[in-house]
Amino acid sequence: MRREDGRPGPGDDVEAVLDELYALPPSEFVARREERAARARTQRRARDARRIHAARRPTLAGWAANLLRRSRPDEAERFLELGRALREAYATLDPGGLKELSAQRRRIVSEMSRQAAALAREEGHPLSDAVQRDVETTLRAVLADAEAAAVWEAGRVEGVLTPPSEFGADAVAAAPTRREPAPARKSRTDSTTARRKKDEEAERRRVEREERAARAREEARAAGERLRERVTAREKAAAALERADGQEREAGERVAALEEQLAQARTEQERTRAELGEARDRDRAAAEELAGAEREAAAAARRAERAERDGA
């Protein structure tokens, strides 16, 4: 909202507006973008208005990736950490180590994409197989490329992010075997000490590479294990929700049946009340008629007695 001094309020901050826009489903994006851009122009924030208006509507796959980032912040942070570890490991590991890490990467990307699909379905926008594959491609790019990771970390993915070709699904098979560079020819004047220092330096670099690779593998294994635990917990929660939903639906059906029976019983009660009223009215009328007949009979009896006395 706008402040009294004419300056933009907290809700008009351009970064907050962009966060709001990319959290919306694609179908709502353009209308809200134009609304926010118009507000910025009204407040004479032309630069902010241009930046808001330039925001591109995300595809369904981009929105699902952003939804995953926002809805699972802890898992997303671990995924980003895994990407940093994998990018570092790719520069140091041999093909065997890359093959192991790539297998872990594929499992984790598959699990994360299933989470994105589940979240999108809960929001009322189920993903087709093609769109889910686009989400997987984007997640692979997040692991492989620092710029893609930054876009996803900000939650502003617009379309499919593509991983670099050297870090793709078949990168391990194409990865060149790393060999130590062939030593340059030395003159006969090179000393044994110099060669020993070079060997020691090469050994030190080898040990460092192995240590980094071991750390990267352990981080990837731990991240995968944590992710699997979260997936299992989510599946259990979803199953419990489904059971509770079924029980609530059955209870609702029973309540509806009982309410219908109650309505019928109330209708029957009203009918019997009406019949009771009519019966009471008839009873009162019969009682009055009986009383009148009794009075009439008594009067006739008295007249008969008088007539007998007069005749005597």
Side-chain angles (χ1 to χ4, degrees):
M1 58 184 294
R2 193 173 183 181
R3 292 159 40 142
E4 293 182 358
D5 56 9
R7 289 182 296 169
D12 295 313
D13 176 75
V14 67
E15 296 298 331
V17 170
L18 291 174
D19 287 340
E20 175 194 8
L21 290 177
Y22 283 98
L24 294 171
S27 59
E28 302 176 20
F29 184 93
V30 173
R32 186 68 60 85
R33 180 190 65 190
E34 297 309 307
E35 174 188 335
R36 293 302 193 190
R39 177 184 293 183
R41 285 192 293 270
T42 301
Q43 296 173 351
R44 298 181 180 179
R45 295 185 293 120
R47 180 179 299 177
D48 289 350
R50 286 194 297 271
R51 188 176 173 194
I52 293 169
H53 186 72
R56 293 177 55 194
R57 184 181 70 174
T59 63
L60 188 58
W63 169 77
N66 294 332
L67 178 65
L68 176 65
R69 171 69 180 101
R70 288 183 169 85
S71 301
R72 298 286 184 273
D74 294 339
E75 293 175 19
E77 287 300 327
R78 287 193 289 271
F79 191 74
L80 291 166
E81 291 173 6
L82 175 62
R84 287 188 284 269
L86 285 173
R87 291 192 293 274
E88 180 181 353
Y90 184 79
T92 59
L93 284 181
D94 59 16
L98 284 174
K99 184 175 182 180
E100 180 182 347
L101 285 179
S102 294
Q104 293 184 14
R105 181 191 65 188
R106 285 192 294 272
R107 288 195 299 271
I108 293 170
V109 165
S110 179
E111 291 172 355
M112 291 287 282
S113 68
R114 283 197 294 270
Q115 285 197 39
L119 290 168
R121 187 166 53 252
E122 291 174 2
E123 293 293 323
H125 300 279
L127 307 184
S128 66
D129 292 341
V131 173
Q132 190 167 352
R133 284 194 295 272
D134 288 343
V135 174
E136 290 185 2
T137 300
T138 295
L139 292 175
R140 287 200 302 271
V142 170
L143 291 179
D145 183 66
E147 292 184 2
V151 172
W152 186 66
E153 184 174 14
R156 296 179 188 175
V157 177
E158 297 175 348
V160 182
L161 301 179
T162 306
S165 58
E166 67 271 17
F167 210 95
D170 300 324
V172 175
T177 303
R178 290 176 172 77
R179 298 184 178 90
E180 292 296 329
R185 291 185 177 180
K186 299 294 182 179
S187 67
R188 292 181 180 179
T189 59
D190 286 345
S191 67
T192 303
T193 302
R195 287 196 300 272
R196 185 171 62 250
K197 287 183 177 179
K198 183 178 179 180
D199 291 342
E200 291 174 352
E201 179 63 20
E203 177 64 16
R204 184 185 63 79
R205 289 197 299 269
R206 185 188 66 80
V207 171
E208 288 178 351
R209 286 197 301 271
E210 291 179 351
E211 290 176 349
R212 286 196 297 269
R215 287 196 299 271
R217 284 193 295 270
E218 178 58 26
E219 289 173 358
R221 185 202 63 75
E225 182 63 28
R226 289 193 296 269
L227 187 57
R228 282 190 292 274
E229 291 175 356
R230 299 299 185 278
V231 169
T232 300
R234 178 56 187 276
E235 289 174 348
K236 291 181 179 178
L241 176 61
E242 186 176 357
R243 288 194 301 272
D245 183 65
Q247 292 170 353
E248 191 275 338
R249 188 166 52 252
E250 291 175 359
E253 292 172 354
R254 290 196 298 272
V255 168
L258 291 172
E259 288 178 344
E260 183 177 357
Q261 293 176 7
L262 179 60
Q264 293 175 352
R266 285 176 174 166
T267 301
E268 182 67 17
Q269 183 184 39
E270 292 298 325
R271 185 184 63 78
T272 55
R273 281 179 178 172
E275 292 178 353
L276 177 62
E278 293 174 358
R280 286 174 174 168
D281 290 342
R282 289 194 297 271
D283 179 70
R284 281 196 298 272
E288 291 174 356
E289 290 176 356
L290 175 60
E294 288 176 345
R295 288 193 296 273
E296 184 177 347
R302 287 194 295 273
R303 287 195 297 274
E305 289 177 358
R306 284 198 298 272
E308 289 178 358
R309 285 197 300 270
D310 295 341

